[in-house]
Amino acid sequence: VLDEPTTGLDDASKAQVMAALDRLTEDKTTFFVTHEVALSATRADLVLWVEDGRVAEGGPPEMLIAANGRYARALREARESGKGGRTHALAG
């Protein structure tokens, strides 16, 4: 379980951490908790969108984007703002 492993890092440090995590987690089940919804879209096979302590949406990022629900809206907002988003997603 990785809880906010890139929080507070600049882009270069974030890239280094993610490259290391890619190597360490290859062929392993990994739970990645993040507020950076854009990061979950590119790194997760499965996303669970949590609101008020409950799973509101779940599935592969592509499916959630196509459904145009909460996750898709938050992802659009994150990409438009260029900040990666400050929303809740559990990526796995």
Side-chain angles (χ1 to χ4, degrees), residues 18-61:
M18 293 310 299
L21 290 175
D22 286 344
R23 289 189 304 277
L24 292 169
T25 62
E26 186 175 358
D27 297 324
K28 295 176 179 69
T29 299
T30 307
F31 292 92
F32 185 101
V33 180
T34 185
H35 285 83
E36 296 184 57
V37 68
L39 189 59
S40 70
T42 60
R43 294 291 182 159
D45 298 318
L46 176 69
V47 171
L48 298 178
W49 186 263
V50 179
E51 287 185 4
D52 299 322
R54 296 190 175 171
V55 176
E57 296 180 349

mmCIF file of all heavy atoms in Angstrom, residues 18-61:
data_model
loop_
_atom_site.group_PDB
_atom_site.id
_atom_site.type_symbol
_atom_site.label_atom_id
_atom_site.label_comp_id
_atom_site.label_asym_id
_atom_site.label_seq_id
_atom_site.Cartn_x
_atom_site.Cartn_y
_atom_site.Cartn_z
ATOM 1 N N MET A 18 8.302 7.598 -9.223
ATOM 2 C CA MET A 18 7.434 6.721 -10.008
ATOM 3 C C MET A 18 8.233 5.690 -10.787
ATOM 4 O O MET A 18 7.813 4.533 -10.893
ATOM 5 C CB MET A 18 6.538 7.543 -10.930
ATOM 6 C CG MET A 18 5.509 8.392 -10.192
ATOM 7 S SD MET A 18 4.532 7.507 -8.943
ATOM 8 C CE MET A 18 3.727 6.271 -9.929
ATOM 9 N N ALA A 19 9.399 6.057 -11.299
ATOM 10 C CA ALA A 19 10.250 5.091 -12.007
ATOM 11 C C ALA A 19 10.711 3.992 -11.046
ATOM 12 O O ALA A 19 10.707 2.802 -11.393
ATOM 13 C CB ALA A 19 11.443 5.798 -12.638
ATOM 14 N N ALA A 20 11.090 4.378 -9.838
ATOM 15 C CA ALA A 20 11.507 3.397 -8.840
ATOM 16 C C ALA A 20 10.334 2.493 -8.455
ATOM 17 O O ALA A 20 10.491 1.275 -8.337
ATOM 18 C CB ALA A 20 12.071 4.097 -7.605
ATOM 19 N N LEU A 21 9.159 3.085 -8.275
ATOM 20 C CA LEU A 21 7.986 2.283 -7.926
ATOM 21 C C LEU A 21 7.604 1.333 -9.055
ATOM 22 O O LEU A 21 7.176 0.208 -8.791
ATOM 23 C CB LEU A 21 6.806 3.188 -7.569
ATOM 24 C CG LEU A 21 6.955 3.939 -6.248
ATOM 25 C CD1 LEU A 21 5.793 4.900 -6.047
ATOM 26 C CD2 LEU A 21 7.078 2.970 -5.085
ATOM 27 N N ASP A 22 7.758 1.772 -10.287
ATOM 28 C CA ASP A 22 7.487 0.878 -11.422
ATOM 29 C C ASP A 22 8.359 -0.374 -11.338
ATOM 30 O O ASP A 22 7.888 -1.490 -11.554
ATOM 31 C CB ASP A 22 7.734 1.591 -12.749
ATOM 32 C CG ASP A 22 6.659 2.592 -13.109
ATOM 33 O OD1 ASP A 22 5.558 2.546 -12.510
ATOM 34 O OD2 ASP A 22 6.921 3.433 -13.990
ATOM 35 N N ARG A 23 9.634 -0.191 -11.022
ATOM 36 C CA ARG A 23 10.550 -1.333 -10.906
ATOM 37 C C ARG A 23 10.188 -2.222 -9.710
ATOM 38 O O ARG A 23 10.158 -3.436 -9.818
ATOM 39 C CB ARG A 23 11.993 -0.855 -10.775
ATOM 40 C CG ARG A 23 12.574 -0.267 -12.045
ATOM 41 C CD ARG A 23 14.070 -0.010 -11.945
ATOM 42 N NE ARG A 23 14.454 0.836 -10.825
ATOM 43 C CZ ARG A 23 14.417 2.170 -10.840
ATOM 44 N NH1 ARG A 23 14.030 2.813 -11.918
ATOM 45 N NH2 ARG A 23 14.793 2.862 -9.778
ATOM 46 N N LEU A 24 9.911 -1.595 -8.576
ATOM 47 C CA LEU A 24 9.652 -2.347 -7.344
ATOM 48 C C LEU A 24 8.313 -3.079 -7.357
ATOM 49 O O LEU A 24 8.160 -4.104 -6.686
ATOM 50 C CB LEU A 24 9.692 -1.400 -6.139
ATOM 51 C CG LEU A 24 11.053 -0.827 -5.802
ATOM 52 C CD1 LEU A 24 10.912 0.285 -4.768
ATOM 53 C CD2 LEU A 24 11.977 -1.920 -5.290
ATOM 54 N N THR A 25 7.344 -2.565 -8.085
ATOM 55 C CA THR A 25 5.998 -3.134 -8.048
ATOM 56 C C THR A 25 5.663 -3.973 -9.287
ATOM 57 O O THR A 25 4.546 -4.466 -9.392
ATOM 58 C CB THR A 25 4.939 -2.026 -7.878
ATOM 59 O OG1 THR A 25 5.001 -1.137 -9.005
ATOM 60 C CG2 THR A 25 5.144 -1.255 -6.589
ATOM 61 N N GLU A 26 6.623 -4.128 -10.188
ATOM 62 C CA GLU A 26 6.370 -4.912 -11.396
ATOM 63 C C GLU A 26 5.901 -6.324 -11.030
ATOM 64 O O GLU A 26 6.479 -6.975 -10.166
ATOM 65 C CB GLU A 26 7.642 -4.987 -12.250
ATOM 66 C CG GLU A 26 7.414 -5.664 -13.581
ATOM 67 C CD GLU A 26 8.641 -5.620 -14.468
ATOM 68 O OE1 GLU A 26 9.663 -5.027 -14.074
ATOM 69 O OE2 GLU A 26 8.564 -6.190 -15.543
ATOM 70 N N ASP A 27 4.816 -6.749 -11.661
ATOM 71 C CA ASP A 27 4.231 -8.076 -11.436
ATOM 72 C C ASP A 27 3.742 -8.272 -10.007
ATOM 73 O O ASP A 27 3.681 -9.404 -9.514
ATOM 74 C CB ASP A 27 5.233 -9.188 -11.809
ATOM 75 C CG ASP A 27 5.592 -9.166 -13.277
ATOM 76 O OD1 ASP A 27 4.710 -8.856 -14.107
ATOM 77 O OD2 ASP A 27 6.761 -9.440 -13.596
ATOM 78 N N LYS A 28 3.415 -7.196 -9.328
ATOM 79 C CA LYS A 28 2.888 -7.267 -7.961
ATOM 80 C C LYS A 28 1.596 -6.458 -7.879
ATOM 81 O O LYS A 28 1.429 -5.470 -8.588
ATOM 82 C CB LYS A 28 3.901 -6.710 -6.964
ATOM 83 C CG LYS A 28 5.170 -7.521 -6.872
ATOM 84 C CD LYS A 28 6.173 -6.856 -5.949
ATOM 85 C CE LYS A 28 7.427 -7.657 -5.813
ATOM 86 N NZ LYS A 28 8.239 -7.694 -7.013
ATOM 87 N N THR A 29 0.713 -6.868 -7.013
ATOM 88 C CA THR A 29 -0.490 -6.088 -6.749
ATOM 89 C C THR A 29 -0.104 -4.949 -5.824
ATOM 90 O O THR A 29 0.501 -5.169 -4.774
ATOM 91 C CB THR A 29 -1.572 -6.959 -6.096
ATOM 92 O OG1 THR A 29 -1.893 -8.020 -7.000
ATOM 93 C CG2 THR A 29 -2.812 -6.141 -5.786
ATOM 94 N N THR A 30 -0.452 -3.736 -6.220
ATOM 95 C CA THR A 30 -0.080 -2.554 -5.455
ATOM 96 C C THR A 30 -1.296 -1.647 -5.325
ATOM 97 O O THR A 30 -1.991 -1.391 -6.305
ATOM 98 C CB THR A 30 1.044 -1.786 -6.176
ATOM 99 O OG1 THR A 30 2.119 -2.684 -6.443
ATOM 100 C CG2 THR A 30 1.542 -0.626 -5.342
ATOM 101 N N PHE A 31 -1.545 -1.170 -4.122
ATOM 102 C CA PHE A 31 -2.595 -0.176 -3.896
ATOM 103 C C PHE A 31 -1.914 1.175 -3.749
ATOM 104 O O PHE A 31 -0.992 1.335 -2.960
ATOM 105 C CB PHE A 31 -3.403 -0.498 -2.634
ATOM 106 C CG PHE A 31 -4.232 -1.729 -2.778
ATOM 107 C CD1 PHE A 31 -3.727 -2.954 -2.395
ATOM 108 C CD2 PHE A 31 -5.501 -1.657 -3.330
ATOM 109 C CE1 PHE A 31 -4.484 -4.102 -2.540
ATOM 110 C CE2 PHE A 31 -6.263 -2.795 -3.480
ATOM 111 C CZ PHE A 31 -5.751 -4.024 -3.089
ATOM 112 N N PHE A 32 -2.389 2.129 -4.503
ATOM 113 C CA PHE A 32 -1.794 3.454 -4.577
ATOM 114 C C PHE A 32 -2.891 4.455 -4.233
ATOM 115 O O PHE A 32 -3.853 4.593 -4.980
ATOM 116 C CB PHE A 32 -1.293 3.632 -6.015
ATOM 117 C CG PHE A 32 -0.539 4.883 -6.292
ATOM 118 C CD1 PHE A 32 0.838 4.857 -6.354
ATOM 119 C CD2 PHE A 32 -1.199 6.067 -6.540
ATOM 120 C CE1 PHE A 32 1.539 6.002 -6.644
ATOM 121 C CE2 PHE A 32 -0.504 7.210 -6.819
ATOM 122 C CZ PHE A 32 0.871 7.181 -6.874
ATOM 123 N N VAL A 33 -2.778 5.110 -3.111
ATOM 124 C CA VAL A 33 -3.765 6.098 -2.689
ATOM 125 C C VAL A 33 -3.230 7.471 -3.055
ATOM 126 O O VAL A 33 -2.103 7.816 -2.705
ATOM 127 C CB VAL A 33 -4.021 6.014 -1.167
ATOM 128 C CG1 VAL A 33 -5.049 7.047 -0.751
ATOM 129 C CG2 VAL A 33 -4.440 4.609 -0.769
ATOM 130 N N THR A 34 -4.038 8.251 -3.777
ATOM 131 C CA THR A 34 -3.568 9.568 -4.201
ATOM 132 C C THR A 34 -4.720 10.543 -4.357
ATOM 133 O O THR A 34 -5.851 10.151 -4.617
ATOM 134 C CB THR A 34 -2.781 9.467 -5.534
ATOM 135 O OG1 THR A 34 -2.254 10.755 -5.841
ATOM 136 C CG2 THR A 34 -3.649 8.984 -6.676
ATOM 137 N N HIS A 35 -4.402 11.810 -4.183
ATOM 138 C CA HIS A 35 -5.328 12.893 -4.494
ATOM 139 C C HIS A 35 -5.068 13.420 -5.906
ATOM 140 O O HIS A 35 -5.800 14.245 -6.397
ATOM 141 C CB HIS A 35 -5.160 14.049 -3.500
ATOM 142 C CG HIS A 35 -5.738 13.747 -2.168
ATOM 143 N ND1 HIS A 35 -5.067 13.044 -1.209
ATOM 144 C CD2 HIS A 35 -6.946 14.056 -1.641
ATOM 145 C CE1 HIS A 35 -5.838 12.937 -0.139
ATOM 146 N NE2 HIS A 35 -6.968 13.538 -0.373
ATOM 147 N N GLU A 36 -4.009 12.951 -6.519
ATOM 148 C CA GLU A 36 -3.627 13.421 -7.857
ATOM 149 C C GLU A 36 -4.308 12.551 -8.907
ATOM 150 O O GLU A 36 -3.764 11.566 -9.372
ATOM 151 C CB GLU A 36 -2.118 13.389 -8.024
ATOM 152 C CG GLU A 36 -1.415 14.343 -7.090
ATOM 153 C CD GLU A 36 0.076 14.365 -7.330
ATOM 154 O OE1 GLU A 36 0.483 14.643 -8.471
ATOM 155 O OE2 GLU A 36 0.805 14.090 -6.374
ATOM 156 N N VAL A 37 -5.511 12.939 -9.272
ATOM 157 C CA VAL A 37 -6.321 12.125 -10.168
ATOM 158 C C VAL A 37 -5.641 11.908 -11.514
ATOM 159 O O VAL A 37 -5.750 10.826 -12.103
ATOM 160 C CB VAL A 37 -7.743 12.719 -10.308
ATOM 161 C CG1 VAL A 37 -7.731 14.028 -11.041
ATOM 162 C CG2 VAL A 37 -8.670 11.735 -10.974
ATOM 163 N N ALA A 38 -4.896 12.861 -12.018
ATOM 164 C CA ALA A 38 -4.203 12.687 -13.301
ATOM 165 C C ALA A 38 -3.164 11.571 -13.210
ATOM 166 O O ALA A 38 -2.963 10.832 -14.180
ATOM 167 C CB ALA A 38 -3.555 13.997 -13.738
ATOM 168 N N LEU A 39 -2.537 11.423 -12.083
ATOM 169 C CA LEU A 39 -1.562 10.358 -11.892
ATOM 170 C C LEU A 39 -2.256 8.997 -11.918
ATOM 171 O O LEU A 39 -1.750 8.045 -12.508
ATOM 172 C CB LEU A 39 -0.817 10.563 -10.575
ATOM 173 C CG LEU A 39 0.379 9.690 -10.295
ATOM 174 C CD1 LEU A 39 1.442 9.845 -11.378
ATOM 175 C CD2 LEU A 39 0.961 10.031 -8.941
ATOM 176 N N SER A 40 -3.422 8.905 -11.328
ATOM 177 C CA SER A 40 -4.146 7.630 -11.325
ATOM 178 C C SER A 40 -4.563 7.230 -12.736
ATOM 179 O O SER A 40 -4.604 6.049 -13.061
ATOM 180 C CB SER A 40 -5.366 7.700 -10.407
ATOM 181 O OG SER A 40 -6.375 8.532 -10.945
ATOM 182 N N ALA A 41 -4.855 8.200 -13.577
ATOM 183 C CA ALA A 41 -5.302 7.901 -14.942
ATOM 184 C C ALA A 41 -4.208 7.254 -15.770
ATOM 185 O O ALA A 41 -4.488 6.453 -16.663
ATOM 186 C CB ALA A 41 -5.792 9.172 -15.619
ATOM 187 N N THR A 42 -2.961 7.563 -15.477
ATOM 188 C CA THR A 42 -1.861 7.028 -16.275
ATOM 189 C C THR A 42 -1.168 5.844 -15.624
ATOM 190 O O THR A 42 -0.405 5.149 -16.282
ATOM 191 C CB THR A 42 -0.800 8.115 -16.544
ATOM 192 O OG1 THR A 42 -0.291 8.592 -15.290
ATOM 193 C CG2 THR A 42 -1.383 9.267 -17.335
ATOM 194 N N ARG A 43 -1.430 5.592 -14.347
ATOM 195 C CA ARG A 43 -0.685 4.554 -13.627
ATOM 196 C C ARG A 43 -1.528 3.377 -13.160
ATOM 197 O O ARG A 43 -0.975 2.362 -12.757
ATOM 198 C CB ARG A 43 -0.013 5.168 -12.389
ATOM 199 C CG ARG A 43 1.045 6.168 -12.722
ATOM 200 C CD ARG A 43 2.200 5.472 -13.343
ATOM 201 N NE ARG A 43 3.258 6.427 -13.630
ATOM 202 C CZ ARG A 43 4.500 6.075 -13.804
ATOM 203 N NH1 ARG A 43 4.867 4.826 -13.718
ATOM 204 N NH2 ARG A 43 5.397 6.988 -14.090
ATOM 205 N N ALA A 44 -2.837 3.499 -13.190
ATOM 206 C CA ALA A 44 -3.679 2.472 -12.575
ATOM 207 C C ALA A 44 -4.341 1.561 -13.601
ATOM 208 O O ALA A 44 -4.709 1.991 -14.687
ATOM 209 C CB ALA A 44 -4.756 3.139 -11.727
ATOM 210 N N ASP A 45 -4.486 0.307 -13.221
ATOM 211 C CA ASP A 45 -5.291 -0.631 -13.988
ATOM 212 C C ASP A 45 -6.750 -0.547 -13.541
ATOM 213 O O ASP A 45 -7.662 -0.821 -14.312
ATOM 214 C CB ASP A 45 -4.809 -2.065 -13.774
ATOM 215 C CG ASP A 45 -3.376 -2.268 -14.247
ATOM 216 O OD1 ASP A 45 -3.035 -1.749 -15.323
ATOM 217 O OD2 ASP A 45 -2.623 -2.940 -13.530
ATOM 218 N N LEU A 46 -6.942 -0.165 -12.293
ATOM 219 C CA LEU A 46 -8.270 -0.073 -11.694
ATOM 220 C C LEU A 46 -8.288 1.134 -10.768
ATOM 221 O O LEU A 46 -7.339 1.357 -10.019
ATOM 222 C CB LEU A 46 -8.567 -1.343 -10.881
ATOM 223 C CG LEU A 46 -9.863 -1.377 -10.103
ATOM 224 C CD1 LEU A 46 -11.055 -1.459 -11.062
ATOM 225 C CD2 LEU A 46 -9.869 -2.569 -9.154
ATOM 226 N N VAL A 47 -9.366 1.902 -10.830
ATOM 227 C CA VAL A 47 -9.524 3.077 -9.974
ATOM 228 C C VAL A 47 -10.795 2.907 -9.155
ATOM 229 O O VAL A 47 -11.845 2.533 -9.692
ATOM 230 C CB VAL A 47 -9.608 4.378 -10.808
ATOM 231 C CG1 VAL A 47 -9.983 5.569 -9.935
ATOM 232 C CG2 VAL A 47 -8.303 4.635 -11.534
ATOM 233 N N LEU A 48 -10.704 3.195 -7.874
ATOM 234 C CA LEU A 48 -11.876 3.288 -7.012
ATOM 235 C C LEU A 48 -11.988 4.738 -6.587
ATOM 236 O O LEU A 48 -11.073 5.276 -5.959
ATOM 237 C CB LEU A 48 -11.733 2.389 -5.786
ATOM 238 C CG LEU A 48 -11.620 0.893 -6.059
ATOM 239 C CD1 LEU A 48 -11.430 0.141 -4.763
ATOM 240 C CD2 LEU A 48 -12.830 0.384 -6.812
ATOM 241 N N TRP A 49 -13.093 5.368 -6.942
ATOM 242 C CA TRP A 49 -13.339 6.767 -6.597
ATOM 243 C C TRP A 49 -14.095 6.780 -5.279
ATOM 244 O O TRP A 49 -15.191 6.235 -5.180
ATOM 245 C CB TRP A 49 -14.156 7.440 -7.695
ATOM 246 C CG TRP A 49 -14.313 8.893 -7.467
ATOM 247 C CD1 TRP A 49 -15.374 9.537 -6.891
ATOM 248 C CD2 TRP A 49 -13.363 9.904 -7.775
ATOM 249 N NE1 TRP A 49 -15.138 10.872 -6.822
ATOM 250 C CE2 TRP A 49 -13.907 11.131 -7.361
ATOM 251 C CE3 TRP A 49 -12.097 9.891 -8.362
ATOM 252 C CZ2 TRP A 49 -13.238 12.332 -7.524
ATOM 253 C CZ3 TRP A 49 -11.438 11.083 -8.520
ATOM 254 C CH2 TRP A 49 -12.008 12.289 -8.097
ATOM 255 N N VAL A 50 -13.509 7.382 -4.253
ATOM 256 C CA VAL A 50 -14.082 7.362 -2.913
ATOM 257 C C VAL A 50 -14.583 8.749 -2.541
ATOM 258 O O VAL A 50 -13.848 9.730 -2.656
ATOM 259 C CB VAL A 50 -13.031 6.877 -1.879
ATOM 260 C CG1 VAL A 50 -13.612 6.886 -0.476
ATOM 261 C CG2 VAL A 50 -12.512 5.493 -2.254
ATOM 262 N N GLU A 51 -15.833 8.817 -2.118
ATOM 263 C CA GLU A 51 -16.435 10.061 -1.610
ATOM 264 C C GLU A 51 -17.183 9.750 -0.329
ATOM 265 O O GLU A 51 -17.931 8.762 -0.267
ATOM 266 C CB GLU A 51 -17.413 10.646 -2.630
ATOM 267 C CG GLU A 51 -16.747 11.258 -3.824
ATOM 268 C CD GLU A 51 -17.736 11.930 -4.770
ATOM 269 O OE1 GLU A 51 -18.947 11.999 -4.468
ATOM 270 O OE2 GLU A 51 -17.280 12.391 -5.806
ATOM 271 N N ASP A 52 -16.970 10.564 0.668
ATOM 272 C CA ASP A 52 -17.646 10.394 1.957
ATOM 273 C C ASP A 52 -17.481 8.988 2.516
ATOM 274 O O ASP A 52 -18.419 8.410 3.082
ATOM 275 C CB ASP A 52 -19.127 10.755 1.836
ATOM 276 C CG ASP A 52 -19.345 12.195 1.423
ATOM 277 O OD1 ASP A 52 -18.582 13.067 1.894
ATOM 278 O OD2 ASP A 52 -20.248 12.458 0.617
ATOM 279 N N GLY A 53 -16.281 8.405 2.308
ATOM 280 C CA GLY A 53 -15.987 7.097 2.864
ATOM 281 C C GLY A 53 -16.577 5.923 2.113
ATOM 282 O O GLY A 53 -16.496 4.791 2.582
ATOM 283 N N ARG A 54 -17.168 6.180 0.957
ATOM 284 C CA ARG A 54 -17.783 5.105 0.167
ATOM 285 C C ARG A 54 -17.275 5.131 -1.259
ATOM 286 O O ARG A 54 -16.977 6.192 -1.805
ATOM 287 C CB ARG A 54 -19.296 5.276 0.144
ATOM 288 C CG ARG A 54 -19.892 5.124 1.516
ATOM 289 C CD ARG A 54 -21.364 5.044 1.464
ATOM 290 N NE ARG A 54 -21.815 4.787 2.828
ATOM 291 C CZ ARG A 54 -23.039 4.828 3.198
ATOM 292 N NH1 ARG A 54 -23.972 5.108 2.323
ATOM 293 N NH2 ARG A 54 -23.370 4.571 4.435
ATOM 294 N N VAL A 55 -17.212 3.962 -1.868
ATOM 295 C CA VAL A 55 -16.818 3.870 -3.268
ATOM 296 C C VAL A 55 -17.972 4.369 -4.128
ATOM 297 O O VAL A 55 -19.060 3.788 -4.126
ATOM 298 C CB VAL A 55 -16.432 2.429 -3.657
ATOM 299 C CG1 VAL A 55 -16.126 2.339 -5.146
ATOM 300 C CG2 VAL A 55 -15.238 1.953 -2.835
ATOM 301 N N ALA A 56 -17.742 5.460 -4.836
ATOM 302 C CA ALA A 56 -18.768 6.058 -5.687
ATOM 303 C C ALA A 56 -18.698 5.524 -7.115
ATOM 304 O O ALA A 56 -19.715 5.446 -7.804
ATOM 305 C CB ALA A 56 -18.626 7.581 -5.696
ATOM 306 N N GLU A 57 -17.497 5.191 -7.566
ATOM 307 C CA GLU A 57 -17.274 4.653 -8.908
ATOM 308 C C GLU A 57 -16.078 3.724 -8.855
ATOM 309 O O GLU A 57 -15.186 3.904 -8.031
ATOM 310 C CB GLU A 57 -16.952 5.756 -9.919
ATOM 311 C CG GLU A 57 -18.044 6.744 -10.156
ATOM 312 C CD GLU A 57 -17.653 7.802 -11.180
ATOM 313 O OE1 GLU A 57 -16.478 7.912 -11.566
ATOM 314 O OE2 GLU A 57 -18.554 8.534 -11.583
ATOM 315 N N GLY A 58 -16.049 2.783 -9.757
ATOM 316 C CA GLY A 58 -14.893 1.904 -9.833
ATOM 317 C C GLY A 58 -14.780 1.255 -11.187
ATOM 318 O O GLY A 58 -15.792 0.981 -11.835
ATOM 319 N N GLY A 59 -13.549 1.045 -11.609
ATOM 320 C CA GLY A 59 -13.287 0.376 -12.871
ATOM 321 C C GLY A 59 -11.981 0.852 -13.460
ATOM 322 O O GLY A 59 -11.282 1.677 -12.877
ATOM 323 N N PRO A 60 -11.650 0.342 -14.639
ATOM 324 C CA PRO A 60 -10.450 0.829 -15.321
ATOM 325 C C PRO A 60 -10.594 2.311 -15.649
ATOM 326 O O PRO A 60 -11.717 2.777 -15.918
ATOM 327 C CB PRO A 60 -10.409 -0.011 -16.607
ATOM 328 C CG PRO A 60 -11.282 -1.192 -16.339
ATOM 329 C CD PRO A 60 -12.319 -0.726 -15.379
ATOM 330 N N PRO A 61 -9.513 3.068 -15.626
ATOM 331 C CA PRO A 61 -9.619 4.503 -15.911
ATOM 332 C C PRO A 61 -10.342 4.806 -17.220
ATOM 333 O O PRO A 61 -11.180 5.709 -17.270
ATOM 334 C CB PRO A 61 -8.160 4.979 -15.964
ATOM 335 C CG PRO A 61 -7.412 3.996 -15.152
ATOM 336 C CD PRO A 61 -8.129 2.684 -15.326
#
